[in-house]
Amino acid sequence: DGSWETNGDFKMYTVKLGDNETNNPDYANWYKMVPYGAPYVDRNNNGVYDQGVDLPGVKDAAQTVFEVMTDMDITAHSPGEGFGGGITNPLLKAEIAWTSWAYTSPGLEDIQFIKWRIINKGTNIWDSTFMGVVTDPDLGEPYDDYIGCDTVLNLGFCYNGDNDDGTGAPPTYGASPPAVGLDYFRGTVKKNTN
């Protein structure tokens, strides 16, 4: 369907409250990603993204980031790729639509939401597929960070080893640094065998 071609439309798109078509090219080009699952507010409730009428992004979010990724660019697979996975053959032909968003609403201002939609665009059935999240939180100065988990809350977390993080100059926190937690609100939902 052409979605595997490498072109400039497939990049990270970011929209914030207050953006419009003239001050943010990602806002103006959001329509290019709607067929791949980019969220929008359907202001006229017609079920179709209408440029200039509907709002790009998650409803009421202060910021929304959207990106579509695939493993189909064979030139991106090399032994030194790190997060790229190195040499991986055969290709899975996976399409991943990633949406992250955050609110400024009281009680939600310190939470970032992330959603992945993973589609098998190939003809092979994926069997015994496992999903997981890898994170390197680096909470301010990374040299005194500790990680842990709470199995009752199903929560992974990172915290500072003492009550002082670096000098306080960016990117460190100084006295009374925060902690960070990661939680799955909903796990994998299987739509069909592909």
Side-chain angles (χ1 to χ4, degrees):
D1 67 2
S3 62
W4 305 117
E5 297 174 15
T6 301
N7 69 59
D9 290 344
F10 291 93
K11 64 180 196 76
M12 191 175 289
Y13 288 77
T14 302
V15 292
K16 298 176 185 173
L17 283 177
D19 285 353
N20 59 50
E21 291 181 1
T22 58
N23 69 10
N24 182 348
D26 289 349
Y27 188 107
N29 293 310
W30 196 262
Y31 71 93
K32 295 178 180 180
M33 292 295 107
V34 168
Y36 298 94
Y40 64 93
V41 179
D42 189 5
R43 292 172 60 181
N44 58 4
N45 295 312
N46 67 355
V48 177
Y49 182 75
D50 296 306
Q51 188 82 356
V53 176
D54 296 329
L55 300 175
V58 172
K59 185 178 186 202
D60 298 325
Q63 180 174 344
T64 302
V65 178
F66 182 82
E67 181 177 20
V68 175
M69 301 167 276
T70 179
D71 68 339
M72 287 300 296
D73 182 359
I74 194 66
T75 64
H77 294 252
S78 65
E81 273 300 305
F83 285 124
I87 297 175
T88 53
N89 284 316
L91 300 174
L92 288 175
K93 297 186 180 179
E95 179 180 284
I96 301 170
W98 166 45
T99 308
S100 62
W101 67 97
Y103 302 97
T104 56
S105 308
L108 295 176
E109 70 273 15
D110 293 325
I111 301 173
Q112 179 183 26
F113 296 90
I114 301 172
K115 176 184 176 182
W116 290 277
R117 191 186 76 224
I118 303 167
I119 301 172
N120 179 358
K121 292 284 190 161
T123 57
N124 294 328
I125 294 173
W126 297 348
D127 181 37
S128 303
T129 304
F130 296 89
M131 308 290 172
V133 175
V134 176
T135 182
D136 180 6
D138 288 343
L139 191 61
E141 187 175 68
Y143 307 111
D144 56 356
D145 293 347
Y146 291 92
I147 59 170
C149 66
D150 184 320
T151 57
V152 174
L153 294 176
N154 194 28
L155 180 74
F157 55 84
C158 176
Y159 61 98
N160 215 49
D162 55 32
N163 202 26
D164 190 38
D165 182 66
T167 63
T172 67
Y173 289 101
S176 301
V180 64
L182 297 107
D183 186 16
Y184 282 104
F185 289 154
R186 186 172 83 181
T188 304
V189 177
K190 181 179 170 183
K191 297 291 184 180
N192 59 43
T193 57
N194 281 354

